[in-house]
Amino acid sequence: MWSSRMALRRLQRIAVAPLSAAGGATTKVQREMSTLQRVYVTRQIPPEGLKILQDSGQVQFELWNSDDVPVPRKELLQKVKGVDGLLCVLTEKIDAELLDAAGPNLKVVSTMSVGYDHLFLQELKKRGVRVGYTPDVLTDAVAELTVALLLATSRRLIEATHEAKTGGWGTWRTLWLCGHELANSTVGILGLGRIGVAIAERLAPFKVKKFIYTDVAPRPDLAKAINAEYVSFDELAKQSDFLAVCCALTPETREICNENLFSKMKKTSIFINTSRGGVVNQEDLYQALASGQIAGAGLDVTVPEPLPTNHPLFSLNNCVILPHIASASYTTRNAMSALAANNLLLGLRGQPMIKELKL
């Protein structure tokens, strides 16, 4: 597993070697192309990725020069006309309409994300467009944030901060702001991949008693690393004191976390989601939290994003909501942008990408 720092250094070296390499490689590439290949970048990506594109000598690119506001759909459909490559982020829907607007020149879509539910894979496959994505490099950052969110939720840190700021902090009380601790607990993981393993590795020193998981099938190699036991979906719900959702959003997992799951969980359970908002039925989650069916929830992802400020979940003291920041470290986001840029350039050259989604 790559750490984000090691990955960034490696990706910087890769960018220098095959893409703007010594020995005139760039000159050769440019000789082979009558003009530089055209690329559209849908967001102001972190500087390492932009530097790789600029230094490659392989492409001319235009980007939506904002990090705050996504490119408007109407403008995106105009800008992609005739491009050879597209570097996007998860806010852009790469669907049939966009692919039709881009036209037959489009060879590669490189997304700066590990999730790909914003990509219409069948449409891309039908058109023979290759897809790059950015797994692994964000594992550490997402695992760290998941642990932070779990602790903030279970130990009621947001509530406590609010009380301290607003005058609620009175004399010491025996049960005021009591939460739930990890020692001797059972931690469940829904969807055991690299991120799930990394979360468990970070939680183990808290004296967790047992790790359990469920997935589409047992994953003994990954489970062995954390001594985790494979259980059914129902058993995951029943046994978990802390339940971390790490699965991808697919048709099978959409709203898999619903009343059926919450009704089987302990009243003292903490639910954490740092995967995709679409795996949770938010109305069912609200009811579970408001009724005390479960003790608390920590969410880094919601539907929609951003979640409207008047959404009922924001009214609950036992729900901590973050604005999708799990991978938001400088090192990780730069590594993601570097990987996305390298995937794009290698794909445009007809070479194997570092991380390609096989369609």
Side-chain angles (χ1 to χ4, degrees), residues 231-309:
V231 297
S232 69
F233 186 76
D234 282 356
E235 283 301 310
L236 187 80
K238 292 174 183 176
Q239 294 186 37
S240 297
D241 297 300
F242 300 87
L243 179 52
V245 181
C246 305
C247 61
L249 177 60
T250 66
E252 293 73 30
T253 63
R254 186 171 293 279
E255 296 196 354
I256 194 173
C257 300
N258 54 31
E259 198 274 336
N260 176 56
L261 173 76
F262 302 131
S263 66
K264 294 179 174 67
M265 292 175 68
K266 303 173 185 178
K267 290 186 179 295
T268 54
S269 293
I270 302 294
F271 176 83
I272 302 294
N273 183 20
T274 53
S275 60
R276 284 291 185 266
V279 304
V280 178
N281 181 309
Q282 290 178 172
E283 291 184 8
D284 289 355
L285 177 60
Y286 173 81
Q287 292 300 327
L289 291 167
S291 67
Q293 195 168 31
I294 63 174
L299 310 175
D300 185 49
V301 286
T302 60
V303 176
E305 292 183 0
L307 194 66
T309 55

Side-chain angles (χ1 to χ4, degrees), residues 73-281:
R73 179 72 174 183
K74 184 177 180 181
E75 178 154 352
L76 178 61
L77 293 174
Q78 289 293 323
K79 293 295 185 180
V80 298
K81 288 182 178 179
V83 298
D84 300 283
L86 181 66
L87 198 161
C88 67
V89 296
L90 53 80
T91 53
E92 278 69 66
K93 294 293 183 186
I94 311 303
D95 56 9
E97 180 188 34
L98 185 139
L99 295 171
D100 287 342
N105 284 352
L106 184 64
K107 305 176 187 70
V108 178
V109 169
S110 180
T111 181
M112 191 184 128
S113 64
V114 63
Y116 43 83
D117 46 286
H118 58 300
L119 308 179
F120 286 58
L121 300 182
Q122 288 303 316
E123 293 293 335
L124 289 157
K125 182 178 180 179
K126 184 166 68 177
R127 292 164 169 80
V129 178
R130 295 172 65 188
V131 175
Y133 69 134
T134 61
D136 300 344
V137 295
L138 48 65
T139 298
D140 288 337
V142 174
E144 286 179 8
L145 190 281
T146 303
V147 172
L149 180 57
L150 185 153
L151 290 169
T153 305
S154 64
R155 297 303 302 271
R156 302 171 66 179
L157 300 187
I158 308 303
E159 286 180 79
T161 300
H162 177 75
E163 292 295 324
K165 284 182 176 180
T166 57
W169 184 3
T171 185
W172 185 88
R173 284 165 270 177
T174 57
L175 292 176
W176 186 54
L177 289 174
C178 283
H180 302 277
E181 59 188 67
L182 280 157
N184 298 310
S185 69
T186 296
V187 173
I189 299 170
L190 177 56
L192 185 65
R194 290 183 179 89
I195 290 174
V197 169
I199 291 167
E201 288 172 341
R202 285 158 174 77
L203 291 177
F206 286 86
K207 300 181 182 178
V208 170
K209 179 176 66 178
K210 183 168 70 169
F211 290 102
I212 58 176
Y213 76 100
T214 196
D215 211 316
V216 291
R219 308 195 69 179
D221 291 343
L222 287 171
K224 184 179 179 181
I226 55 172
N227 195 28
E229 175 188 348
Y230 179 79
V231 297
S232 69
F233 186 76
D234 282 356
E235 283 301 310
L236 187 80
K238 292 174 183 176
Q239 294 186 37
S240 297
D241 297 300
F242 300 87
L243 179 52
V245 181
C246 305
C247 61
L249 177 60
T250 66
E252 293 73 30
T253 63
R254 186 171 293 279
E255 296 196 354
I256 194 173
C257 300
N258 54 31
E259 198 274 336
N260 176 56
L261 173 76
F262 302 131
S263 66
K264 294 179 174 67
M265 292 175 68
K266 303 173 185 178
K267 290 186 179 295
T268 54
S269 293
I270 302 294
F271 176 83
I272 302 294
N273 183 20
T274 53
S275 60
R276 284 291 185 266
V279 304
V280 178
N281 181 309

